[in-house]
């Protein structure tokens, strides 16, 4: 029951055409969703700043076109993750303001007038981790928190990491992307007070088991302040980082 | 917003004390649950025949007393699973009509006047599987489908199983409890047309891995009609079997 | 010993050419299968409504042709799962009434005159889960229970699910197909009284482990009434759903 | 090299007793830590609001006494996790203002004058999850963010969860503790915009595998905004929640 | 249908009271088991030399007494595995000729007059593996193939193993029991032509994972002729070894 | 030290050119291998009937040519497993009497005059398991025990299996190849007294985990007499079966 | 703060332009890295003999060119692992003295004048393990310890291994590369006193699980002196072997 | 054939009682072990400095007494690991010079006159890791390389680790013991040039999985020079460290 139908019913009560009792009966048997979820959706509107998100794998270009067009119409911002360049090229016809990040394999539309809040920092160890790190960067950027990047730091070369101590300690939230043994988030969390979002990557071989090794390392971190997202889930980490950074940025 | 409050609001509209527009506003900001979930709960009432269920492990006797008493007051039937005899003895003071099944380690109150529908059959291989099988039996019984039992049948002694071919083929639904290699459900499903609910047990040693071996066996069954519940989950199997049997029994 | 030989023996007894004692001796040493399994097969005939089923992977087109032709001759209905379109095209020469479902990757012949019983509902979360869901749909349909579909519902957007509460609560049995975290069956089972057949899919990445994550989620469901089939086993779920629905539908 | 020694060296340069070149040499070969880590520790002091934390298992009461006393002297607040009541009783002699939370099995001293910022919400499903949830509560509280609690909500009974929609949508950060299938964080994250810290618990049996099932569920969450900590790690979740909430609360 | 009933039917045919056709009809609908399994059981009798076997864990002393007594009456030999000494003492009242092997934790009755065939050899590495090795010894012995033992040989001390090359090469079948890395069966199989039955044990710690490490080692053996039984399954290995040795020993 | 050098040394002793003491010294410091391993190799010669075996994957055609030619020269029989047809064609130039089995993907030369002993039986469930089953057949055949085959039997269709009860019970050793749930060996072992060699295959999907499911099923078999080889290891099973059958066949 | 700046500051103190107190203040707030890590890098210079190492997978040829050129300029030696021949050919234009090892898939530049110390021995079982073994050989060679090789030895043919006992017992450190069951390191370590570096390979099939089987075997070795590196990590083993051999070789 | 028999044979040749040819024949058929393994044992004697080692778990005090006494008689040094204090007390009667280390749970006799070589360093993170670290210390000490200890350092508090940079960089070999996420070895190996022996411990909870998490972390170390031993295997690490340190110390 959308609002107009509800209003109509109440006007009929107001006009005496329907008794209060009859209206109660009608409201009671209304399909659940018609009453309650106006409220649900209303609250969802609070999520300003979050883009509509589409996970591309497993969807045909036709499906992607349809979904992306509908979302882009209703929302200011849009993010399509794990999208191949070739598919992007085809989407571009429909959505000419759709941008593409080659490394992150992500397409996006930033809502015009989105405020940019600094405070998110994205760290990554090796070049092979960059696609995941950049997915976090793009996601956080589309959500209004364009991150600072520190790449090519690792636990086996502490001096490169410590060179960035200042920036680390000034961030509101730090995303740490690491494959192989995945020890970087623990070291970082030991140096700072802000929350660390750890992203294990599937980079590695042998007993890395497609990212299980760094995932376990991160879950068992002896440093305080580390929480973990799925293997290779740069999007998830960027999303959380931006939603945390929003808390620090808001006027309150 | 319970019905009385809703009625009051509508009467105020009827009486012209509140305009339709004001009422729409008020309804829109009503706490979600006050409107919608009357319906949700109403539908839950459809679940007649299902007992209130309490999983005992991790709850103190005091907690169990409080929960059981509250549930027994609002519902005709009650089932407490994985309950030690000692705890049962203490619950008995509060709930004098609470019965106890030693093998299944389950306490229960059957709703008076529950109709009993035959059609559920529970099979088990070894004596060690009996607690799980009996948990299925008690659960199904409390739900109005007291099962027939066939125990001490296994794939390594086919003649004992085939002796019961007649009963197997007459059941509406068959619960098969098996540990070790867990092959019994496949063999049974190959002999009958009714759905088979397979319950792996943690009985076994070595590469049984606490029930993983029979769980995988059952999930990979080459026979049609086998679905699986958690390791040692006799309750779950009994619950599903009774809810399936109810379909066969209902007048409609 | 086929019937003709048995008849011959008995006629010799009748004619006095063989004594009863000699016949007992001969029957006792008869190969097992000759006597007993007539009965087995007879009982198998009870399974009317179930199609002959062929799992295509690992079989050459020639093998498929031979098998499918033989089965189609002896049985009214036929289902070939996981069949590529290209192989279907070749089978079509031999079996001109063989239909094909592109999404489910299944070919089938429905037995003429099969009664259709409503009551099966198939739910799926994402577009990527559709092949599995459609395999369940085709299977259940061929077995006489064409399902209703509800797609694009997920636990992260409850309002879309609750929009369908009515249909959910009217089904006899619900198949829920879900990948990633696989939480949908628990939420659905919490809303309805009918049995839920949960199908984990291999959709997802990282710690999804090819479907292990949703499989474990479903096996550990805290909601009553959920049983589980193998990862991506849409066929199995559809088969079970139809065999349960048959119980509700039968005149009895 | 502490500051006094550095000052002494520089004074000798000032007084002409040591040349600049000699001083450079001496500074170059100084043990690394004497120079650099003043800064490291200085930055650590930024972590005001974070208590000193001791993980009790594997430490004797004597060891705990020594560690706790030293930490309590240098820091305003102290938290000892997984501490048995009996050990607490003995620590009380040394640290008379040490408080104890029976359910969380945690002892703590709150720094006097700590400001309390609302905004953290802790959800848990079953009574068996309470020790983990309460560990999160105590941790967050000692860090200046005493959480609001919502217990006894689960995915199989959505109406109980939706009853708290208002509070959920007002929190800065939500800790969700869940065992068995661990689907609650996904459902919660689908309803709100704030970050969700998911804590899998080892509650369950069979294919729960000591918490692996809910851990995987949470890592694979299809809802945005969920990050995960180790199984049963209520402390970690509380720590992260408080450090996120601090961002929302700070004046800046 | 037992023999008397079958005879009765045939006599009625003989006497002309029943026609051959009627008898065929009656035989065709006879319960499966009544006809067929006389033959099944008859074939089982071929298994002379195999004892009746009872796996003790999970059975009460009362249950064990009942089962053992029944089996001992119908069979010449009996083997009860994983039996505690205390339970044995109680069984001794009922079965005074029941013997007990302390190390193997097995009780047994050897059929009088059983022929003893040499040819089975049991190897074990460490003292900790002896209970499993001795279970194999007792089992094979009760089945008429008392094994020769070679203990305290391991891959890290090849000379001790090679000291027994002669005996190794004369055996018909060799059981090799090994924990930790489980490499002994490969080395042994490389030295001999006879089949090797490998038994992984749960001896070890850390990454031994309760016997998974030696189990995988044995399954991946690069030496020809190695087959594997379950972790700690000394009984199974002894059973197979004896049944293989029987082939070598039989007059045929 | 080859024999000629040893002879020379002894002749020098005989001739008085070297004292016995000097010879003892010289023999004591001889490289280990020169003395001892003549014996090792001598014993290896006992393995008559076993072919030289080459595992083709990971070897270039050139490497295969070199190895195969050398082995074929020194040994009567040869077996190359997992060999692609294309590589076989190239080997054929060098080894014109090399035969090829398309299904087993194995090339072989049977030693002329090898005696053939019946007694090995190979069972397989589905067509997809045939490559593994045929690898067992070829191996056993090259070793002098050409097996009888029974294919297309499975636990979900017991009657097809029981049709072959006679043959099953007459075999000396039975190889059972099965994928998916892998229950067939247990059922077979329950029907016969001979040893069963179980071969899990990687056929299946989802929770089959590339053959882990049937592997665990077989290791946990509740039937006596089942030992297991690696997943898809048809060669290993055929090798063991033939070496067991040899025991039954030998004149002794 | 590099040395020149530090010197300048101290000179200003010396000249009375800055007081000691002011200098202390300035030093205390210097960025961490400016002071401390001169020392860190100085110590790194101790690592003479170790090449700069680049892991090629996941890097584009352009990236490899840039990295390799920079490293080759600053360091005498260079090692690029897992490099395809095609990429090597392109690097050759920039680095004309870059050599390539086809089997090891490694490119390298040896520092001119590197001393060569014998003492490292590399063992491997099958031809399929050679790429990993050769990676260890190349790595150790570039680090100044060109290894001796013993290939084609395995636990199933002890005599071939024992033929090399002399060389085994003279090595300073032995790298043992093995797939399948991975038992070779245990046997080797039982024969020698030197440390053994074990490298599991992903060679094998079925329950080898991509190298997990030999990895577990090696971790559980019952022989003393075995430590393990990641699956297929020939580089790591060669690196460690050379760094151990360096200890034996150094004049000290 | 022991030396006396060999001598006797040669003397008979010398005396002309046996021809050279006859002696060759006799030597050729001598049992393998009689000739060859004198050499094996002789080489074993090279292992001076290594103690005889007994792993206590699973052995009775009586067995331990017998083994320890025999070993102590034939060897200068002895090490018994994982020995309970109570058992030690009983062994003390037989071996009065047996010492005991309470933390390491190890008893030992140091060979008199063993030279002590510095150069081994043992690091550990938390107090809970000390038993494993001390087992490494005791083992290395008994082997002549008493280690220096650095405890209470971890990756979450880098400054404590970097305080010991000097000692770290001077060690010949470093044993790093770590539980939870196990990242310490990577950080240490990044700071030094010497080999690092990493020991994962079973300390931790939840997704630590009894030490699997740190084990995987260590195997996947991105730092060069890390090899790994079994979970909790302090003995193994100490043994390897001492055998490496011996190389650095030997005069050679």
């Amino acid at each position: 029951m959308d609002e107009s139908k509800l209003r109509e019913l109440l006007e009929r009560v107001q006009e005496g055409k329907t008794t209060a009792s009859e209206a109660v009966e009608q409201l009671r048997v209304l399909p659940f969703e018609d009453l309650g979820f106006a409220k649900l959706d209303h609250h969802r509107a609070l999520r300003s700043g979050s883009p509509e998100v589409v996970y591309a794998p497993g969807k045909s270009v036709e499906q992607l076109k349809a979904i992306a067009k509908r979302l882009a119409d209703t929302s200011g911002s849009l993010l399509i993750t794990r999208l191949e360049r070739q598919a992007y090229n085809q989407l571009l016809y429909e959505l000419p303001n759709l941008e593409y990040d080659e490394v992150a394999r992500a397409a996006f539309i930033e809502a015009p007038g989105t405020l940019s809040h600094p405070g998110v920092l994205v760290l990554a160890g090796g070049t092979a981790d960059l696609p995941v790190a950049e997915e976090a960067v793009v996601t956080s950027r589309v959500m209004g928190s364009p991150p600072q990047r520190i790449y090519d730091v690792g636990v086996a070369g502490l001096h490169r990491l410590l060179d960035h101590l200042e920036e680390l300690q000034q961030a509101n939230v730090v995303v740490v992307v690491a494959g192989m043994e995945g020890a970087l988030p623990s070291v970082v969390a030991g140096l700072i007070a802000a929350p660390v979002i750890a992203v294990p990557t599937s980079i590695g071989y042998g007993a890395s088991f497609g990212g299980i090794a760094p995932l376990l390392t991160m879950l068992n971190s002896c440093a305080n302040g580390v929480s973990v997202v799925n293997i290779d889930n740069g999007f998830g980490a960027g999303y959380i980082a931006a939603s945390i950074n929003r808390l620090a940025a808001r006027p309150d």
Side-chain angles (χ1 to χ4, degrees), chain A:
Chain A
M1 173 176 264
D2 57 26
E3 199 177 311
S4 63
K5 287 189 186 158
L6 180 60
R7 183 178 301 276
E8 196 181 333
L9 173 65
L10 287 164
E11 284 169 357
R12 291 225 305 283
V13 174
Q14 199 174 15
E15 298 162 8
K17 295 177 178 161
T18 299
T19 66
S21 290
E22 284 164 359
V24 166
E25 280 315 295
Q26 285 185 42
L27 283 170
R28 197 165 50 179
V29 298
L30 275 177
F32 176 79
E33 63 279 14
D34 291 353
L35 284 170
F37 281 92
K39 183 125 173 298
L40 251 191
D41 283 338
H42 175 68
H43 277 287
R44 283 178 61 88
L46 289 177
R47 300 200 187 203
S48 61
S50 301
E52 295 290 337
V53 184
V54 182
Y55 178 70
K59 300 201 177 69
S60 69
V61 172
E62 284 320 301
Q63 288 175 312
L64 286 171
K65 262 186 200 164
I67 297 170
K69 218 169 144 38
R70 176 165 48 80
L71 292 178
D73 288 352
T74 61
S75 160
S77 60
L78 173 69
L79 176 62
I80 310 177
T81 62
R82 313 264 170 113
L83 183 75
E84 296 307 318
R85 145 82 58 194
Q86 200 173 359
Y88 165 71
N89 290 342
Q90 292 187 264
L91 290 177
L92 205 52
Y93 289 101
E94 301 281 340
L95 299 159
N97 59 337
L98 190 69
E99 296 182 67
Y100 189 66
D101 184 305
E102 200 81 40
V103 180
R105 289 173 305 146
F108 58 94
I109 298 171
E110 281 183 281
T114 303
L115 292 177
S116 268
H117 302 293
V120 174
L121 184 58
V122 174
L123 264 81
T127 27
D129 297 324
L130 293 195
V132 176
E134 284 296 305
E135 192 181 76
V137 166
V138 165
T139 304
S140 190
R141 172 182 160 195
V142 174
M143 290 175 70
S145 292
Q148 184 181 358
R149 294 168 178 91
I150 300 178
Y151 291 165
D152 199 23
V153 290
V155 296
L158 280 185
H159 59 291
R160 286 203 301 270
L161 175 65
L162 293 175
D163 277 357
H164 297 282
L165 193 55
E166 208 79 35
E167 295 135 278
L168 277 166
Q169 293 181 334
Q170 282 163 1
N172 285 330
V173 54
V174 181
V175 170
V176 185
V177 178
M180 301 187 74
E181 89 262 71
L184 192 56
S186 291
V187 173
V188 169
L191 296 169
I192 67 174
V196 169
I197 312 299
V199 193
T201 69
S202 54
I203 301 310
Y205 61 94
S208 162
F209 300 133
I212 296 181
L215 172 62
L216 294 184
T217 305
M218 292 166 181
L219 286 170
N220 286 284
S221 177
C222 61
N224 299 330
V226 179
S227 64
V228 187
V229 297
N230 197 358
I231 297 164
D232 292 335
N233 190 6
F235 160 71
Y239 188 99
I240 295 164
S243 72
I244 291 175
N245 196 46
R246 204 155 47 193
L247 289 172
R250 71 177 180 195
D252 191 347

